[in-house]
């Protein structure tokens, strides 16, 4: 069933970013969305038991929490529609707010029309390239709506990790190895 399908990157799409950067002599960057799924408003009526810590706090304050349930306001990790909901929410944010265009054939790839930024997004991890100025502007804009940890811009002589791969950048090469971790 494609009901919960969420596109994922591959080694080939990640290498598209490497090729763009080498051809255009651009820098590279990465980002990781923290608590990604919790950015996404819940689309269904979902209730859950509150955590034991909350129940203990209620009891310590003299409050009765017996039988209370929480209504989920954001998508919770582990729910079947969570990955797809995140990808759709992020795609909307990247396109509508950040001004990127999504590739129709490869829905994990994005480009910034009239600017240098190209991004490949795997779940909550992004790998991209562009000029340092465009990278900075893009990451600042992204960070206004998405809680992200960022790295870069990386240029020749730098080494960084993304999705279990370590990339060492040369003037006209990218050496990709398994991450040392």
């Amino acid at each position: 069933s494609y009901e919960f399908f969420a596109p994922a990157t591959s080694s080939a799409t990640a290498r598209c970013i490497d090729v763009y950067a080498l051809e255009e002599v651009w820098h590279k960057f990465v980002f990781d969305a923290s608590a990604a799924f919790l950015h996404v408003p819940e689309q269904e009526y979902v209730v859950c038991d509150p955590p034991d810590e909350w129940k203990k706090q209620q009891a310590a304050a003299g409050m009765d929490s017996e039988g209370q349930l929480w209504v989920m306001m954001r998508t919770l990790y582990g729910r079947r529609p969570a990955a797809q909901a995140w990808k759709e929410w992020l795609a909307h944010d990247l396109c509508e707010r950040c001004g990127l265009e999504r590739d129709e054939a490869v829905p994990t790839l994005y480009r910034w029309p009239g600017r240098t930024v190209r991004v490949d997004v795997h779940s909550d991890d992004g790998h991209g390239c562009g000029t340092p100025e465009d990278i900075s502007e893009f990451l600042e804009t992204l960070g206004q709506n998405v809680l992200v940890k960022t790295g870069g811009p990386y240029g020749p002589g730098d080494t960084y990790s993304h999705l279990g791969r370590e990339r060492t950048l040369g003037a006209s090469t990218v050496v990709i190895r398994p991450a040392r971790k």
Side-chain angles (χ1 to χ4, degrees):
S1 166
Y2 294 106
E3 183 179 7
F4 300 114
F5 174 76
T9 60
S10 67
S11 59
T13 59
R15 285 185 178 78
C16 286
I17 299 302
D18 297 325
V19 171
Y20 290 140
L22 287 171
E23 283 183 347
E24 302 294 337
V25 193
W26 290 339
H27 284 70
K28 311 267 287 292
F29 68 92
V30 294
F31 69 81
D32 178 24
S34 301
F37 295 177
L38 298 178
H39 286 83
V40 183
E42 180 59 65
Q43 298 297 309
E44 299 178 44
Y45 183 71
V46 178
V47 296
C48 67
D49 285 320
D52 289 336
E53 298 84 28
W54 181 82
K55 291 177 182 178
K56 289 176 186 174
Q57 288 174 344
Q58 294 297 100
M63 309 274 291
D64 181 23
S65 63
E66 186 65 33
Q68 289 194 15
L69 298 173
W70 283 5
V71 175
M72 297 304 300
M73 302 302 290
R74 300 285 181 195
T75 302
L76 190 63
Y77 285 83
R79 290 204 357 92
R80 289 181 68 199
Q84 181 185 53
W86 161 251
K87 289 294 255 189
E88 289 175 5
W89 184 88
L90 182 63
H92 182 266
D93 193 67
L94 289 172
C95 295
E96 298 301 319
R97 204 177 53 75
C98 297
L100 275 60
E101 288 181 349
R102 192 175 193 183
D103 189 289
E104 289 184 29
V106 184
T108 63
L109 289 174
Y110 297 82
R111 63 183 278 282
W112 197 358
R115 305 294 281 278
T116 61
V117 170
R118 306 291 185 265
V119 183
D120 184 34
V121 180
H122 178 82
S123 189
D124 59 354
D125 295 300
H127 179 227
C129 63
T131 63
E133 299 79 23
D134 283 353
I135 290 170
S136 178
E137 187 175 337
F138 166 70
L139 291 176
E140 183 178 321
T141 303
L142 178 65
Q144 292 170 1
N145 204 36
V146 181
L147 180 61
V148 289
K149 293 181 273 184
T150 63
Y154 303 110
D158 291 333
T159 297
Y160 68 95
S161 293
H162 175 69
L163 295 180
R165 303 285 185 273
E166 187 176 89
R167 285 175 158 77
T168 301
L169 307 178
S172 61
T173 61
V174 177
V175 176
I176 303 171
R177 297 183 185 97
R180 293 175 192 215
K181 290 183 187 178

